[in-house]
Amino acid sequence: MGEGEENVEDKKVKDISLRDLSKMLEEFAKARDWEKHHSPRNLLLAMIGEVGELSEIFQWRGEVEKGLPNWEEADKEHLGEELSDVLLYLIRLADICEIDLADAATKKIAKNAIKYPVPIKRLS
């Protein structure tokens, strides 16, 4: 580990912003001279590959219960890693495309609230 770098695994993060993750990813890519490979197309294809790996985890399990109560801890850890890979590629893709993902997601939720209003409950 370089000077000034923290071991992320040693610290349990309770809440981190998309902006913080974005900055970490940008620094990670710059330090490894990977930016030249981070075109929108390449990032999208990498993310699709990670979605495939994520889907493999569920492929033969059938329906699973919320909270995954019957899963081994190693399986849950693997799931977390694959979910993280998808999230990190998505954040990086949004940054490279100069899309404010938090703003776009907030606006999309608002649009969906209009498109799919809460059903009115009728009194019997």
Side-chain angles (χ1 to χ4, degrees):
M1 220 146 309
E3 187 177 320
E5 285 187 50
E6 291 182 33
N7 184 349
V8 176
E9 292 179 21
D10 289 345
K11 184 170 102 172
K12 191 85 165 172
V13 179
K14 290 187 178 188
D15 191 17
I16 188 166
S17 71
L18 290 177
R19 183 170 287 133
D20 291 339
L21 287 171
S22 172
K23 185 72 173 156
M24 290 169 67
L25 289 168
E26 181 181 9
E27 290 170 1
F28 189 91
K30 278 183 182 176
R32 289 155 181 82
D33 196 29
W34 287 355
E35 290 185 305
K36 61 187 170 221
H37 304 293
H38 286 188
S39 67
R41 177 189 173 275
N42 287 349
L43 291 167
L44 174 63
L45 293 175
M47 185 177 69
I48 290 169
E50 294 300 337
V51 169
E53 291 180 24
L54 177 60
S55 67
E56 285 177 346
I57 295 172
F58 291 94
Q59 186 172 7
W60 304 114
R61 292 182 182 260
E63 285 300 320
V64 296
E65 293 180 46
K66 184 177 179 178
L68 314 174
N70 301 320
W71 285 36
E72 300 289 329
E73 282 306 310
D75 292 331
K76 288 182 180 182
E77 183 176 342
H78 183 216
L79 175 61
E81 289 170 356
E82 297 304 334
L83 287 166
S84 297
D85 285 341
V86 172
L87 174 66
L88 296 175
Y89 274 119
L90 179 63
I91 291 169
R92 188 73 176 139
L93 175 59
D95 286 345
I96 294 299
C97 294
E98 297 182 3
I99 300 295
D100 181 334
L101 193 55
D103 183 58
T106 302
K107 288 176 180 174
K108 183 63 176 175
I109 291 169
K111 279 185 176 181
N112 285 345
I114 294 166
K115 188 175 181 179
Y116 306 105
V118 176
I120 297 171
K121 293 185 180 183
R122 299 180 193 269
L123 298 175
S124 300

